[in-house]
Amino acid sequence: MSARIISILCAVLVSVTCAYAQNTKAYEERVAVLEREIGILDKQISANAARSSNLLSELTMIRKQIANRKELVRAAERQVRVCSDNIYATQKRINRLQERIDTLSVHYAGLVRSAYKNRDARIWYMYILASDNLGQAFRRYGYFRNLSKEIKDQAVRIEKAREELEAEKAEIQKLKKEAEAVRAQRQKELSSLQKDESKAEIMAGRLKQDRRKYQRQLAQKKKEVEALNKEIERLVAEAMKASGSGGKASEIDYTLAAEFSSNKGRLPWPARGPVVDGFGQRYHPVFTSLKLPFNNGIDIALSPGTDVCSVFDGVVKQVVVMPGYNICVLVQHGNYFSFYCKLRNNAVKAGDKVKTGQKIGTVDTINGETKLHFQIWQGQKPQNPELWLR
């Protein structure tokens, strides 16, 4: 077998191994995110059950947790398939290499037997002396001189390639077992989570039985949401009006606005955690015809004491306190605005310039729930934050 063929096979093996490593890294990173979110949700659910009578909130978090667990199982299954495909491809290469090795072994065995039979140096000398001319004599001499070395070198190269492939095969089989173990663990988690689904159904039943109580809670929530929305609209309109008044100090920084806009989909998260309440119009999970208050932002479940940070450079326009939302901070980025609510304390004040990633405050725990309410506005129009965050 030529060195070129072996080098090609090794190059292919290296490229496949690198691709597998990249897939494995992506899988591990995604699993880490999901497990971190599940950990946050576990704490939220326990705290909510202990200190809050908001069954809807608990039901929402459990369903989000179920979704994360299912994604973990799907991710593990995908990883097992990737691993199996790599094992199959590697085995095919090993089989082809083995066929070549077997063919060469037969040929080499013949050469070795021939060399053994003619091991007497006098026979070799006679064969060289019997050459028709000096050129043929040199060629025969070169052949005898290089034959043994070539056989040995080729055998070493083939053996090395076979060892490398066998080692990679063993490693991939090991990874497959690990991936299968991960899948089995995820399926076990999903099975245990089915108990939580039953618990969620019990909650839904309790909500149905106590519809009047829930409707009172919902009415109160609507008042809080409406009050927050009106206040944000007022603050944004006030900021835009002040910027358009002609005063140099209050002019809109359109360069900053353009930078903010160009980073759509790449803004850092104000804090890392699962989104448990999305943007837009939603309906009650039990009373499916009942509209919930329109959400101008998103709600992110966090661990108690988590820092909340600015998503971009800007200027703090207002710090206000709202019922149900505690401390709220409005940051202006040209004609864009980011709004951070449900803070326990604020690390900035009106007029402060902030940088991307700078601490705005610390998230609060309200009625057993530790969530950040976050909004992004373009002028006086609310945006879906998930489309802006990376």
Side-chain angles (χ1 to χ4, degrees):
M1 169 182 273
S2 70
R4 181 173 178 272
I5 294 176
I6 293 177
S7 64
I8 291 173
L9 287 172
C10 290
V12 171
L13 178 62
V14 169
S15 65
V16 171
T17 303
C18 290
Y20 176 80
Q22 291 173 352
N23 287 331
T24 300
K25 183 179 179 182
Y27 163 73
E28 290 174 348
E29 289 175 350
R30 183 58 185 153
V31 166
V33 170
L34 291 169
E35 288 183 338
R36 183 174 67 245
E37 290 188 356
I38 287 172
I40 292 172
L41 290 167
D42 274 335
K43 293 178 181 178
Q44 289 275 358
I45 291 167
S46 298
N48 189 73
R51 292 181 281 178
S52 173
S53 61
N54 192 338
L55 294 177
L56 174 60
S57 177
E58 189 171 351
L59 178 60
T60 300
M61 287 188 288
I62 287 178
R63 288 185 173 179
K64 172 63 177 174
Q65 190 177 44
I66 289 170
N68 278 14
R69 298 271 189 186
K70 288 180 178 179
E71 186 177 344
L72 279 172
V73 173
R74 289 193 297 269
E77 289 172 347
R78 287 194 299 269
Q79 185 67 8
V80 169
R81 287 197 297 271
V82 169
C83 188
S84 298
D85 291 343
N86 276 278
I87 287 178
Y88 176 74
T90 302
Q91 187 61 56
K92 288 183 67 175
R93 293 196 301 274
I94 289 173
N95 292 342
R96 288 196 297 268
L97 181 59
Q98 187 61 57
E99 290 174 1
R100 291 180 179 274
I101 290 173
D102 292 343
T103 301
L104 288 174
S105 295
V106 173
H107 178 63
Y108 287 160
L111 289 176
V112 171
R113 284 195 300 270
S114 177
Y116 180 78
K117 290 178 182 179
N118 297 287
R119 65 187 182 278
D120 191 330
R122 289 172 299 176
I123 297 176
W124 292 66
Y125 293 147
M126 289 177 63
Y127 182 62
I128 294 171
L129 293 173
S131 301
D132 294 335
N133 52 57
L134 187 60
Q136 186 182 63
F138 275 115
R139 287 194 296 273
R140 289 181 175 182
Y141 172 75
Y143 169 77
F144 287 130
R145 183 185 63 187
N146 296 328
L147 176 60
S148 178
K149 182 177 184 301
E150 179 62 21
I151 292 174
K152 181 179 179 181
D153 289 347
Q154 286 283 45
V156 168
R157 284 194 289 268
I158 292 170
E159 185 62 26
K160 182 180 179 181
R162 183 167 55 188
E163 288 175 357
E164 289 176 356
L165 285 173
E166 290 292 342
E168 290 296 334
K169 175 184 173 183
E171 179 64 18
I172 291 177
Q173 288 175 332
K174 175 186 175 183
L175 292 171
K176 178 182 176 182
K177 290 180 180 178
E178 291 175 354
E180 288 174 342
V182 170
R183 180 174 62 180
Q185 180 62 29
R186 295 298 176 257
Q187 289 172 332
K188 180 181 178 181
E189 291 177 0
L190 183 59
S191 176
S192 65
L193 196 58
Q194 289 174 351
K195 298 177 182 178
D196 289 336
E197 288 182 317
S198 298
K199 181 180 178 181
E201 292 304 317
I202 293 173
M203 292 179 193
R206 289 172 59 187
L207 283 170
K208 289 179 180 178
Q209 293 173 2
D210 204 355
R211 180 165 184 160
R212 289 184 178 178
K213 178 182 177 181
Y214 172 72
Q215 286 178 324
R216 290 194 298 271
Q217 291 177 343
L218 182 59
Q220 177 61 33
K221 179 64 176 177
K222 282 183 177 179
K223 288 181 181 179
E224 292 176 356
V225 172
E226 288 172 358
L228 177 70
N229 289 341
K230 287 181 180 179
E231 180 63 10
I232 294 177
E233 289 172 8
R234 185 190 69 79
L235 293 174
V236 170
E238 185 178 277
M240 293 295 291
K241 182 179 178 181
S243 298
S245 63
K248 184 176 181 180
S250 60
E251 287 181 358
I252 291 176
D253 188 343
Y254 284 105
T255 300
L256 181 61
E259 292 176 1
F260 187 93
S261 179
S262 67
N263 278 277
K264 185 173 184 178
R266 299 196 301 271
L267 295 177
W269 285 69
R272 297 300 301 185
V275 175
V276 292
D277 200 357
F279 176 86
Q281 184 62 66
R282 298 143 302 126
Y283 290 82
H284 194 280
V286 178
F287 310 118
T288 53
S289 61
L290 184 61
K291 285 185 178 182
L292 296 174
F294 190 94
N295 194 351
N296 280 341
I298 58 175
D299 293 274
I300 306 170
L302 301 171
S303 298
T306 299
D307 287 343
V308 176
C309 302
S310 177
V311 298
F312 205 72
D313 295 355
V315 179
V316 178
K317 296 303 293 184
Q318 291 286 347
V319 178
V320 297
V321 177
M322 297 294 299
Y325 291 90
N326 206 355
I327 298 173
C328 302
V329 176
L330 177 69
V331 179
Q332 183 173 5
H333 319 274
N335 63 334
Y336 289 89
F337 300 85
S338 57
F339 205 68
Y340 313 78
C341 286
K342 298 191 174 182
L343 302 180
R344 183 178 65 198
N345 53 52
N346 53 293
V348 293
K349 62 183 184 300
D352 286 353
K353 290 184 178 181
V354 295
K355 293 291 185 180
T356 304
Q358 182 176 333
K359 181 178 176 180
I360 296 292
T362 304
V363 70
D364 198 5
T365 299
I366 303 173
N367 296 326
E369 301 172 9
T370 308
K371 300 177 185 177
L372 169 69
H373 179 71
F374 177 70
Q375 299 187 16
I376 290 178
W377 288 61
Q378 181 182 11
Q380 294 177 272
K381 183 179 179 181
Q383 304 287 304
N384 183 352
E386 289 192 82
L387 300 180
W388 287 83
L389 302 172
R390 61 172 173 248

